[in-house]
Amino acid sequence: MSPGVAFHYLAPVTSPDERADNKSRDAAIQQVEAALKSGRIVQADHDMRIDQLRQAQTTQDVDLVVRDLQTPNPAAPPTIAPVPPTPPGQGTPGAVPDTSGQQWPLVNYGPGSGGTGVSTVASSSGKGGKAIGGVIAAIILVAVIVPIAGAVIAFVSARNSFPDFGSVGPSDDTTYLPGQTPGDDGVNVFTVDGYNDLVDAVRDETNATYAYEAVIYPRYAVVELPTGTNNRYEDFYWDGESLQLENMKGTTDDAQVDLALVDPQQLIDMLTTVRDRTDNPDSWYIIYDDSSGQGPAITAYASNDFGESTYIQERLDGTLIYDSDATVQPEPPSPTG
């Protein structure tokens, strides 16, 4: 859904009438899930690809979404001619060594060649240089350790006067189950109160509850909120306590959806369904949008470490639109406002 993302290339469509089936879509979704877990793609790219796979009509459409995620054949390593070492004592004193034939670049983590750091002094004076270098190293060690020790002592001494940091953002990183009440320092958007807090935060930010898309996870949510100018939107991140403006923005032709119309219990029930039919699920989330142009829809996903995933899509009234595990899909519903 997010604009500005292009595929690497477009292969010619050789079989335009070969319709995509559930098996091909599910296999592609597993590739996207695996790419996210391995760090090859980021969450926003993952969500965009999943949305595109839901709308893919042909096997060619499915292939284009995941074509760049397929592992390429490893290329043969380049052949590098060996570089003979420079015999000791040769070379012009003070000259910069020639590294043009070196296999790996030199990385200088210390002071430059013209500096006066410990390594320069130690390497320039023989035995006397070693002694001087040792003294300088000791001085540097004392200069570094003493301030750190002092800071630690000051921190320990004053810790009782610090404010309660438990009140600054959710500090409990537990991922709670759908409908499960979180701890005092935790967050679970998939509760009635958790979802309503998100809606209230959007209302406070925009004086409305409309969004182009909401991607909701147990501990956070990302919502595309309209700016009020044409069809522009900005991304906001919800952490359970505050709504923060992100650096992503764009335009879209999708219709807006009203977050306030969603029954939080429907989200909980849908996620419970997909979790229950997944072996050891470790990820579950919701996408709420109108990317199909057929009216607002809620899609619930669940997956596990084996790349197995499942999802269902429903209307706001609970009407089933799509089920990735069903052999026969329901009849397409009539468009709704």
Side-chain angles (χ1 to χ4, degrees):
M1 171 176 173
S2 301
V5 180
F7 296 114
H8 293 279
Y9 67 95
L10 292 177
V13 179
T14 56
S15 302
D17 295 329
E18 189 175 348
R19 310 298 292 178
D21 56 13
N22 293 345
K23 184 177 180 180
S24 61
R25 285 195 184 92
D26 293 343
I29 288 174
Q30 291 177 13
Q31 284 186 290
V32 176
E33 296 284 0
L36 175 66
K37 292 175 181 177
S38 64
R40 296 177 61 194
I41 61 175
V42 297
Q43 189 65 58
D45 187 15
H46 163 278
D47 298 340
M48 179 206 67
R49 290 174 190 260
I50 293 295
D51 187 58
Q52 290 174 332
L53 288 172
R54 284 195 289 121
Q55 301 178 58
Q57 299 298 314
T58 67
T59 54
Q60 183 70 25
D61 295 336
V62 172
D63 180 66
L64 287 174
V65 176
V66 296
R67 182 75 62 84
D68 60 316
L69 299 182
Q70 297 173 0
T71 305
N73 294 326
T79 302
I80 302 176
V83 179
T86 302
Q90 295 186 8
T92 304
V96 178
D98 180 12
T99 61
S100 60
Q102 187 168 313
Q103 295 189 25
W104 304 104
L106 288 176
V107 180
N108 181 16
Y109 293 102
S113 59
T116 57
V118 176
S119 60
T120 304
V121 176
S123 62
S124 62
S125 304
K127 294 182 179 179
K130 293 180 180 179
I132 295 174
V135 172
I136 294 178
I139 294 174
I140 293 177
L141 182 64
V142 172
V144 172
I145 295 300
V146 171
I148 294 177
V152 172
I153 294 173
F155 178 85
V156 173
S157 300
R159 63 185 178 183
N160 292 332
S161 64
F162 289 166
D164 179 14
F165 286 105
S167 61
V168 183
S171 57
D172 179 1
D173 60 0
T174 303
T175 300
Y176 292 94
L177 301 178
Q180 183 180 6
T181 301
D184 292 339
D185 298 319
V187 58
N188 188 4
V189 186
F190 295 129
T191 61
V192 174
D193 290 340
Y195 182 79
N196 287 336
D197 287 344
L198 167 62
V199 176
D200 290 341
V202 171
R203 183 183 291 109
D204 291 342
E205 178 69 31
T206 64
N207 294 321
T209 55
Y210 291 97
Y212 285 114
E213 180 184 75
V215 182
I216 309 172
Y217 286 82
R219 291 178 46 78
Y220 69 93
V222 178
V223 289
E224 293 181 352
L225 301 183
T227 65
T229 302
N230 299 328
N231 55 349
R232 298 176 182 175
Y233 68 82
E234 294 177 322
D235 275 13
F236 284 79
Y237 178 85
W238 169 249
D239 65 0
E241 285 193 352
S242 62
L243 195 65
Q244 305 168 11
L245 177 64
E246 297 292 288
N247 60 357
M248 293 184 63
K249 59 183 67 175
T251 59
T252 179
D253 293 329
D254 291 351
Q256 298 179 23
V257 293
D258 190 349
L259 300 174
L261 295 180
V262 175
D263 180 2
Q265 189 60 47
Q266 183 180 2
L267 307 183
I268 297 171
D269 294 342
M270 292 177 66
L271 288 171
T272 301
T273 298
V274 293
R275 274 181 45 83
D276 286 349
R277 67 191 197 186
T278 305
D279 183 24
N280 295 323
D282 65 347
S283 176
W284 54 93
Y285 60 98
I286 289 284
I287 294 181
Y288 175 45
D289 62 7
D290 184 10
S291 58
S292 67
Q294 300 298 310
I298 303 170
T299 309
Y301 299 86
S303 62
N304 59 21
D305 277 336
F306 295 97
E308 299 166 344
S309 61
T310 183
Y311 64 97
I312 57 176
Q313 188 176 61
E314 293 181 358
R315 295 290 180 202
L316 294 178
D317 62 1
T319 302
L320 181 65
I321 303 174
Y322 186 83
D323 185 341
S324 63
D325 285 13
T327 304
V328 179
Q329 296 300 325
E331 292 294 330
S334 59
T336 60

